[in-house]
Amino acid sequence: YEAKTRGRGRAAFFDVQLRERLQRYLELEQDLRSAVDRGELWVAYQPIVNLHANRVGGVEALLRWTHPVHGQISPDEFISMAEESDLIHHIGSWALSTAIEQLAEFRTRHGLDLQVKANLSVRQLEDPGLPETVDEALRKSGLSAKSLSLELTESALMHDPATATRMLQELRRYGIRLAIDDFGTGYSSLAQLLRLPLDSLKIDRSFIDGIARSHDAKALVNSIMAMAHAVDLAVIAEGVETADQLEVLRRLGCDQAQGYYLGRPAPIEDLAATIDLADRR
Ligand code: C2E
Ligand code: CA
Ligand code: CA
Ligand code: CA
């Protein structure tokens, strides 16, 4: 009898937890719909260092949501939420045009030739109007197409390779650069990936993690890099958190690097200071 009550109590406890999680989800999803209009979304910028020139050559635009009650919500949480509905199109194009606009303004003000890298959701590949939307935002801002690089994860590219290929070719025709993000985390066929019209490859940070202490990890990154360079892709390392990791990447001939060691994502107001610090690493 006792065990049974305990069991029932536990079931009720999980039930409450589940209900709270569901409630939070539904509440956030509702709030996300008006987040853009209420000005709760903003873009953070993380410096990316060109390891040949030894200076910041670009920034990654990372979307942020400051919820009035719950504070910072992780993009991993709210972007997948937006992807479940059509909200991703609205939020995605807002993020893209905001990044283009803010960076164009920053470049003019500081006389810096920076590239902006922005993330695209797999769902945005479905939108045939995307290339034109991006082109319009570029024209309005005065930023050249080659100053924009769009990042797509391996899984986004492989979800529907035919549609992805058509979209990438179209974006390419406008002169926009394209990158594969989180490389190494998917199970895609390398041959298929290399058929896509890409300019660069970003090695996932899980591979960067061990390069300063493990020979195997370093050898793996080295071979990814050799393979990418063989087909003329520039290589970017993400998640660089220590001076030792940066040193290894430099020695291996990696082209670009980003990570907390070089600078954390920051609001546009702090970007100049963030770039100054990264330049000195
Ligand atoms: P991502 O594209 O792989 O972005 C890199 C993530 O790693 C960012 O997390 C960044 O803050 C974090 N990061 C940077 N340096 C380091 C480091 O040294 N160590 C560690 N541990 N992490 C580092 P964040 O900003 O939380 O974004 C998470 C993901 O959300 C992004 O992963 C991207 O997939 C997605 N995301 C962010 N903004 C957008 C957007 O505007 N559109 C779309 N579709 N997705 C976005
Ligand atoms: Ca990215
Ligand atoms: Ca990534
Ligand atoms: Ca990621």
Side-chain angles (χ1 to χ4, degrees):
Y1 169 76
E2 254 190 6
K4 227 173 158 183
T5 340
R6 255 208 316 274
R8 225 180 291 141
R10 198 148 66 200
F13 174 69
F14 281 125
D15 197 43
V16 167
Q17 267 203 335
L18 200 67
R19 215 169 35 224
E20 275 170 4
R21 282 231 304 275
L22 183 64
Q23 224 151 38
R24 175 184 153 99
Y25 185 92
L26 294 175
E27 187 192 323
L28 285 182
E29 199 195 23
Q30 192 56 42
D31 292 349
L32 189 55
R33 291 181 189 279
S34 42
V36 175
D37 297 334
R38 289 196 196 136
E40 293 165 7
L41 294 185
W42 55 282
V43 181
Y45 297 90
Q46 183 175 37
I48 301 179
V49 173
N50 176 328
L51 297 180
H52 306 301
N54 267 317
R55 57 191 305 194
V56 174
V59 295
E60 178 169 5
L62 293 157
L63 196 54
R64 294 289 178 262
W65 180 17
T66 309
H67 188 281
V69 176
H70 303 291
Q72 294 299 320
I73 313 289
S74 154
D76 282 322
E77 186 177 4
F78 73 81
I79 283 165
S80 57
M81 206 174 260
E83 281 173 338
E84 309 254 305
S85 67
D86 282 338
L87 211 51
I88 188 63
H89 297 294
H90 183 48
I91 289 176
S93 57
W94 182 85
L96 208 52
S97 53
T98 302
I100 289 170
E101 213 173 278
Q102 291 192 326
L103 204 79
E105 213 253 327
F106 184 88
R107 278 170 49 127
T108 315
R109 171 134 37 115
H110 295 271
L112 286 173
D113 185 23
L114 297 174
Q115 188 184 56
V116 59
K117 321 219 185 203
N119 296 284
L120 271 194
S121 154
V122 60
R123 296 281 319 274
Q124 289 175 281
L125 292 177
E126 299 162 5
D127 173 13
L130 182 78
E132 215 169 307
T133 310
V134 178
D135 183 57
E136 247 165 57
L138 285 171
R139 275 172 211 268
K140 227 175 96 190
S141 73
L143 204 70
S144 67
K146 68 174 195 308
S147 297
L148 174 67
S149 175
L150 296 177
E151 302 189 346
L152 282 144
T153 62
E154 216 181 310
S155 60
L157 291 170
M158 286 303 121
H159 171 72
D160 177 359
T163 306
T165 305
R166 270 197 307 275
M167 177 59 90
L168 297 192
Q169 280 165 347
E170 180 75 12
L171 289 165
R172 238 306 166 76
R173 280 206 308 118
Y174 285 96
I176 294 157
R177 303 295 191 252
L178 301 160
I180 176 166
D181 203 354
D182 296 354
F183 181 80
T185 55
Y187 299 91
S188 35
S189 127
L190 201 57
Q192 217 166 13
L193 271 182
L194 297 181
R195 245 180 267 139
L196 297 168
L198 298 161
D199 303 278
S200 58
L201 176 156
K202 200 182 262 192
I203 304 177
D204 190 69
R205 68 165 178 265
S206 56
F207 292 92
I208 306 304
D209 195 40
I211 55 169
R213 37 186 165 79
S214 144
H215 270 285
D216 288 356
K218 188 164 111 182
L220 189 56
V221 166
N222 196 27
S223 54
I224 294 174
M225 209 136 39
M227 175 211 77
H229 283 157
V231 292
D232 274 334
L233 294 178
V235 177
I236 305 153
E238 71 174 3
V240 179
E241 295 183 350
T242 69
D244 289 347
Q245 289 170 342
L246 187 63
E247 187 47 39
V248 171
L249 290 165
R250 279 203 170 107
R251 276 206 308 266
L252 291 179
C254 187
D255 305 295
Q256 301 170 37
Q258 84 185 96
Y260 294 163
Y261 177 69
L262 295 162
R264 291 190 178 247
I268 190 82
E269 296 78 30
D270 299 342
L271 185 57
T274 304
I275 288 176
D276 265 357
L277 286 173
D279 273 340
R280 273 185 251 138
R281 288 297 196 187

